[in-house]
Amino acid sequence: MKCEQIREKSADYLAGELDEKSLSEVRAHLADCPACREELESLSAIWTKLGVLPKEQPSGSLRIRFYEMLEAYKKGTEKDRDKISLGQTLSYWFGRLMPRRPAYQIALSLILIAAGLGGGFLLSVRSRSAARTEVTGLRGEVDDMRRIVAVSLLKQASPSERLMGVSWSARIDRPGDEIIQTLLETLNRDPNVNVRLAAVDALYLFYDHPEVKAGLIHSLAGQTSPLVQLSLINLLVEIRERRAVEALERLIQDEKLNPKVKKRAELGLTQLS
Amino acid sequence: MKTIIRLAGIMILLWAAGLADNAQESQADHAVVSFSNPAKPGTVEVDISEGSITVRGYEGKDVVIDARWRERVLTKEEQEQEAALAEGGEELDQEELARKKAQAEKAKGMKTIEVESMGLTIEEEENVIQVNAEEGKRAVDVVIQVPFSTSLRLSCRDDERGVTVDRVDGEIEVETSDGPIVLTNVSGPVVADSSDGEIKAVFGKVVPGKPMSFSTMEGDVDITLPFDVKASLKMKTDEGKIFTDFDVQLKPSQQKKEEDERKEGGGYRVSFEKVTLGLINGGGVEIQITTYEGNVYIRKAK
Amino acid sequence: MEEVRDGKVERLAILFERHHIMLFNFFLRLSGNRSTSEDLVQEVFFRILKYRDTYHGQSKFIVWMYQIARNVHVDHLRKQKQEVPLDAQFEEPAVAETPAIERLSAEVDAAVLKKALDRLPLRKREVLLLSRFQEMKYREIAELMGCDIGSIKSTIHRAIKELGKIYFELQGGTSP
């Protein structure tokens, strides 16, 4: 192998992309050629140094801005479809869907024709049925996105971001088990009282899920913050959850219980029975 | 090919032992610590079980820590116990009295050697500076100067003096048990919780986007916001009142969902606890406030 | 990515979580400015959303993403060029004032290396960043830059050689 070929191979050598055969050829040449050896050594020294340059972390606002953009984008399209107002964005958006989703095609062409005529009447007629199904489908997509955002935010180290995660969860129309579980976990495990308080409020929105009711009752025993205890009691009384009676009775037995919480729990018992 | 390097965290142990022979004077300690990457806003975490925390922003890159150890003070619990004993021991139950007595018997003829608390531990790792006071019997007042953009996580569990922060723009997380929380000239998202203390926060400006939350069982929450702030408030108080000089636009409670209303036929689901939702200047940063007995004050900065 | 293109834009969140830190570092090494880099990352994801229909499954998503990233960067330079000389934009201070002894040498080293990197001509810098930090194969870089793999390999070779030269010059300048 010649010095020139070594130079050609050096990039692959550094990236570790050389096969066995080429590697041994390169090594054989290096053994005999001090110039190439020196050059390749200094190249790898730099290459290695580059490898240990620290990876920088962007600030938290980057993530927030991204999700805001995504949300705005979604909302924009959702609103447009709701109103069946045919701005450029919308036809662009539909244009994207057309070739891939034949099911939409008839409805979409109708809209596009209507847009071409500039007639509002035709629009309002068709908007009733077709639009409704589209909006339903879209709501599912929006939900999907919110789910991803919420779960990712709830895992952040900053309590403010976790609060944001809770409020994203609260915006989901049909939360899946994942969201319910994540919220219950936040309620039980989050180190910050404020985040737990927010979780109680969010779970209230989903109380018709059987898991939520059970989870709330279960959580009562584990809470240490009087404010969170009060919030939970208020909620359980509010939704007339009779199965909470037992948990409240047990709570009252706790000697360390804050007297105000005790008072509220006792009142709650009379309200529930 | 990973490009992460993990440099070993440096641990600086200071003030190995506070010596017993100058117990008459309170001891002061001083340390200057740098962030490993001063170009990036760092985080300072302080966790002390007894004492107070004061943090001020300043035009510098390092974190300057001063700590003053107070005289041996009885903990609140001990004080209560003493008071109870003075009143004839009614507050202590029989079991506990018997235990105390047995302990005293055991140590008969011997004297107590006070185990001194061993000072603060300061650690820096990946731009986070942690300041911890060991669990001990002496209270410590910690005063820290930080670069303006620093984020803070402060926890002070047992004292009347609480936490004070001035001129810090980073994110602030505070919790106290008894002590008040006083924040002035702050802007970042604040998440504050106190069991019994008052929470007071004066915002120079409010960084949009990130939500804030304040909660206290017994104390008031008193917040001053810039006149042009855009905020969405969610306020809950069981026995307190809400005061404001802002023009707050009240919103019907979000807690009610349309479907719920239909299902319930407009029965008792009128309000969940005592939630007040209000918008300032059309709404914006989410601010959640929860108190039990305390009042809520939302002030317009003059 | 196909799912993003087909309208499930929330899938973009997954792509964002996966790639935004790498992308941020790519821009940071190119521009030296943190907030600019964040803006540029945001712009990349905006354009992905906007032009998602132009993505075709043949090439890897990451190749397509860096094509957009390079365009975003070029547009940024065009806007900036007249106003500020590139050197003045660099905000990262070289070294901490009182670093601990243990990390002193590593940190100085990294700072000098970053400085050297900044002096490398744009194209060489890009190729080097993509191969060394963005875990891209030479073949992918070639596809992304629209040239053949041989020229990428020789660019790598020349770039490292030049970087080494600048690096040692800088070191000679700082430590007598």
Side-chain angles (χ1 to χ4, degrees):
Chain A
M1 204 178 260
K2 288 182 199 147
C3 295
E4 219 170 283
Q5 285 171 296
I6 294 295
R7 239 160 273 148
E8 282 167 20
K9 292 261 190 282
S10 62
D12 282 328
Y13 174 82
L14 293 171
E17 297 267 298
L18 284 182
D19 56 39
E20 279 299 317
K21 187 168 157 272
S22 314
L23 194 62
S24 57
E25 279 171 12
V26 169
R27 286 202 182 119
H29 178 89
L30 292 181
D32 295 338
C33 176
C36 278
R37 196 163 60 223
E38 201 177 305
E39 178 171 314
L40 206 55
E41 266 170 19
S42 73
L43 289 181
S44 352
I46 293 291
W47 181 263
T48 311
K49 274 183 198 300
L50 276 176
V52 296
L53 273 185
K55 200 197 270 176
E56 304 279 334
Q57 293 294 324
S59 75
S61 68
L62 177 59
R63 176 182 274 112
I64 291 166
R65 276 168 61 200
F66 168 76
Y67 283 116
E68 276 169 3
M69 170 188 81
L70 205 53
E71 171 87 329
Y73 197 89
K74 273 295 214 185
K75 239 186 222 152
T77 51
E78 186 177 23
K79 213 187 282 164
D80 284 347
R81 282 213 222 177
D82 259 336
K83 289 189 202 146
I84 319 291
S85 72
L86 283 169
Q88 263 188 324
T89 349
L90 186 64
S91 59
Y92 171 84
W93 172 263
F94 282 165
R96 300 282 69 73
L97 291 170
M98 283 272 262
R100 316 261 327 170
R101 294 194 179 174
Y104 281 134
Q105 278 193 15
I106 299 170
L108 289 175
S109 2
L110 255 175
I111 305 173
L112 294 173
I113 291 163
L117 295 171
F121 174 66
L122 188 55
L123 270 178
S124 64
V125 173
R126 81 110 246 170
S127 67
R128 297 279 143 76
S129 58
R132 196 169 298 148
T133 51
E134 279 166 34
V135 168
T136 322
L138 205 95
R139 193 179 285 160
E141 279 187 23
V142 174
D143 263 13
D144 270 356
M145 182 195 66
R146 286 177 178 157
R147 227 168 268 148
I148 294 168
V149 178
V151 171
S152 126
L153 282 169
L154 282 168
K155 286 180 189 148
Q156 299 303 311
S158 137
S160 174
E161 286 181 14
R162 297 202 302 278
L163 280 172
M164 200 186 290
V166 174
S167 78
W168 275 83
S169 323
R171 282 185 236 167
I172 297 171
D173 286 325
R174 288 172 192 77
D177 292 344
E178 190 192 9
I179 282 295
I180 300 287
Q181 284 311 323
T182 313
L183 279 174
L184 283 171
E185 202 158 298
T186 300
L187 171 63
N188 290 323
R189 304 243 173 88
D190 199 286
N192 194 294
V193 172
N194 286 284
V195 179
R196 299 208 295 273
L197 284 169
V200 177
D201 287 359
L203 282 164
Y204 172 75
L205 296 174
F206 308 134
Y207 75 88
D208 42 1
H209 278 247
E211 278 172 75
V212 172
K213 285 183 182 171
L216 291 170
I217 296 171
H218 179 76
S219 178
L220 195 56
Q223 294 295 338
T224 48
S225 153
L227 272 179
V228 179
Q229 290 170 330
L230 285 167
S231 213
L232 276 173
I233 298 172
N234 283 339
L235 194 161
L236 289 167
V237 170
E238 181 81 31
I239 63 175
R240 303 268 151 127
E241 181 52 55
R242 290 199 172 74
R243 280 175 300 167
V245 167
E246 202 187 318
L248 284 174
E249 277 167 350
R250 238 179 295 132
L251 190 69
I252 291 169
Q253 300 304 314
D254 186 354
E255 286 173 13
K256 280 186 233 141
L257 189 68
N258 180 301
K260 279 148 199 154
V261 178
K262 191 172 178 178
K263 210 178 84 189
R264 183 70 190 92
E266 282 165 351
L267 178 67
L269 273 177
T270 61
Q271 285 169 312
L272 283 179
S273 46
Chain B
M1 249 181 274
K2 291 270 180 214
T3 51
I4 308 165
I5 49 166
R6 289 193 201 287
L7 294 167
I10 332 150
M11 187 193 243
I12 310 161
L13 273 169
L14 297 140
W15 322 298
L19 294 173
D21 56 17
N22 52 352
Q24 289 308 307
E25 286 166 36
S26 58
Q27 290 160 261
D29 297 301
H30 178 79
V32 179
V33 187
S34 307
F35 285 115
S36 41
N37 181 1
K40 224 173 91 178
T43 301
V44 172
E45 291 185 16
V46 189
D47 188 349
I48 58 175
S49 54
E50 204 186 332
S52 70
I53 304 170
T54 305
V55 183
R56 284 191 206 104
Y58 84 117
E59 279 173 51
K61 281 184 179 172
D62 296 328
V63 171
V64 184
I65 304 165
D66 286 281
R68 186 169 287 275
W69 298 88
R70 284 191 221 157
E71 288 305 301
R72 165 81 171 81
V73 190
L74 293 176
T75 64
K76 206 182 162 199
E77 222 173 22
E78 284 172 320
Q79 284 173 6
E80 278 168 8
Q81 272 183 0
E82 278 199 351
L85 279 171
E87 282 165 24
E90 281 166 6
E91 297 279 321
L92 286 176
D93 60 24
Q94 288 303 315
E95 218 172 278
E96 186 144 8
L97 264 180
R99 206 165 54 85
K100 291 240 168 214
K101 226 174 145 188
Q103 269 179 356
E105 286 292 322
K106 251 189 187 168
K108 213 173 180 182
M110 294 189 247
K111 64 179 181 193
T112 319
I113 296 171
E114 199 71 277
V115 182
E116 280 293 335
S117 126
M118 290 296 159
L120 296 185
T121 316
I122 303 174
E123 278 176 63
E124 200 279 349
E125 199 176 353
E126 297 192 359
N127 252 26
V128 178
I129 294 177
Q130 285 189 356
V131 181
N132 292 298
E134 273 173 40
E135 298 268 348
K137 289 182 176 171
R138 288 172 71 195
V140 60
D141 295 306
V142 185
V143 178
I144 303 178
Q145 294 180 69
V146 300
F148 295 119
S149 58
T150 310
S151 287
L152 305 173
R153 282 180 220 139
L154 311 173
S155 165
C156 176
R157 284 190 298 277
D158 197 32
D159 196 67
E160 305 290 323
R161 281 195 235 177
V163 173
T164 312
V165 176
D166 185 35
R167 296 215 290 169
V168 176
D169 291 329
E171 190 169 332
I172 302 174
E173 181 182 3
V174 202
E175 55 176 18
T176 67
S177 334
D178 300 329
I181 297 172
V182 179
L183 316 171
T184 46
N185 300 305
V186 292
S187 61
V190 171
V191 177
D193 173 60
S194 176
S195 314
D196 297 340
E198 182 196 11
I199 301 177
K200 195 172 174 176
V202 181
F203 287 85
K205 59 178 195 288
V206 171
V207 175
K210 289 196 175 185
M212 308 209 221
S213 185
F214 304 85
S215 62
T216 163
M217 186 75 188
E218 317 249 321
D220 294 341
V221 174
D222 188 332
I223 296 172
T224 306
L225 297 165
F227 73 96
D228 57 350
V229 72
K230 289 178 174 297
S232 309
L233 304 169
K234 182 172 87 179
M235 298 170 287
K236 255 200 270 185
T237 171
D238 280 71
E239 296 176 8
K241 290 197 174 78
I242 301 172
F243 302 92
T244 181
D245 54 356
F246 271 108
D247 195 7
V248 175
Q249 177 197 342
L250 290 178
K251 271 203 326 187
S253 171
Q254 257 177 351
Q255 306 285 351
K256 291 183 288 177
K257 283 181 120 182
E258 278 175 54
E259 304 149 46
D260 292 344
E261 275 183 328
R262 251 178 278 129
K263 213 160 37 189
E264 305 293 341
Y268 48 80
R269 188 175 311 289
V270 181
S271 69
F272 168 48
E273 301 178 43
K274 283 141 192 167
V275 186
T276 310
L277 294 169
L279 303 181
I280 299 178
N281 295 321
V285 177
E286 288 177 34
I287 303 179
Q288 164 182 292
I289 299 168
T290 316
T291 77
Y292 180 71
E293 289 180 327
N295 289 337
V296 177
Y297 302 88
I298 311 287
R299 297 174 199 274
K300 204 191 277 184
K302 294 286 173 304
Chain C
M1 181 60 205
E2 267 113 70
E3 287 182 299
V4 175
R5 183 191 56 201
D6 294 349
K8 290 182 180 158
V9 302
E10 71 279 5
R11 297 280 179 261
L12 189 63
I14 296 168
L15 295 170
F16 173 81
E17 293 297 340
R18 203 177 288 161
H19 298 297
H20 79 280
I21 294 178
M22 290 292 236
L23 210 47
F24 172 72
N25 277 271
F26 177 69
F27 286 130
L28 188 60
R29 293 277 82 83
L30 286 182
S31 73
N33 183 300
R34 301 186 69 89
S35 76
T36 303
S37 302
E38 292 191 4
D39 289 348
L40 297 182
V41 173
Q42 173 84 352
E43 177 65 23
V44 168
F45 281 97
F46 178 71
R47 288 194 194 179
I48 290 176
L49 196 57
K50 201 166 154 199
Y51 301 115
R52 60 186 184 281
D53 61 307
T54 64
Y55 174 74
H56 299 292
Q58 298 98 326
S59 54
K60 270 175 80 177
F61 168 69
I62 190 169
V63 172
W64 185 66
M65 184 180 79
Y66 276 105
Q67 268 165 354
I68 294 177
R70 290 185 71 221
N71 290 339
V72 164
H73 184 243
V74 167
D75 291 349
H76 165 71
L77 286 184
R78 221 172 268 151
K79 259 186 262 164
Q80 289 284 303
K81 217 166 195 172
Q82 306 90 326
E83 302 153 28
V84 204
L86 207 61
D87 265 358
Q89 290 175 40
F90 283 81
E91 57 173 29
E92 280 185 81
V95 199
E97 275 169 34
T98 50
I101 296 155
E102 292 97 304
R103 63 175 44 164
L104 187 66
S105 66
E107 214 163 279
V108 171
D109 227 27
V112 173
L113 196 58
K114 276 186 214 164
K115 218 181 208 173
L117 206 49
D118 297 339
R119 296 207 184 160
L120 221 52
L122 182 61
R123 188 185 155 83
K124 285 181 184 157
R125 208 176 344 153
E126 279 182 320
V127 172
L128 211 50
L129 288 173
L130 288 169
S131 68
R132 195 68 181 105
F133 298 107
Q134 314 298 327
E135 299 176 12
M136 286 183 84
K137 303 264 181 236
Y138 297 139
R139 180 178 41 78
E140 291 165 354
I141 301 174
E143 189 190 337
L144 145 66
M145 296 216 158
C147 58
D148 68 290
I149 186 163
S151 96
I152 293 296
K153 285 184 188 172
S154 69
T155 306
I156 288 278
H157 180 256
R158 276 181 280 121
I160 297 177
K161 217 166 161 181
E162 197 171 333
L163 181 67
K165 217 173 122 213
I166 303 171
Y167 174 75
F168 289 117
E169 271 172 22
L170 284 174
Q171 262 204 335
T174 50
S175 59

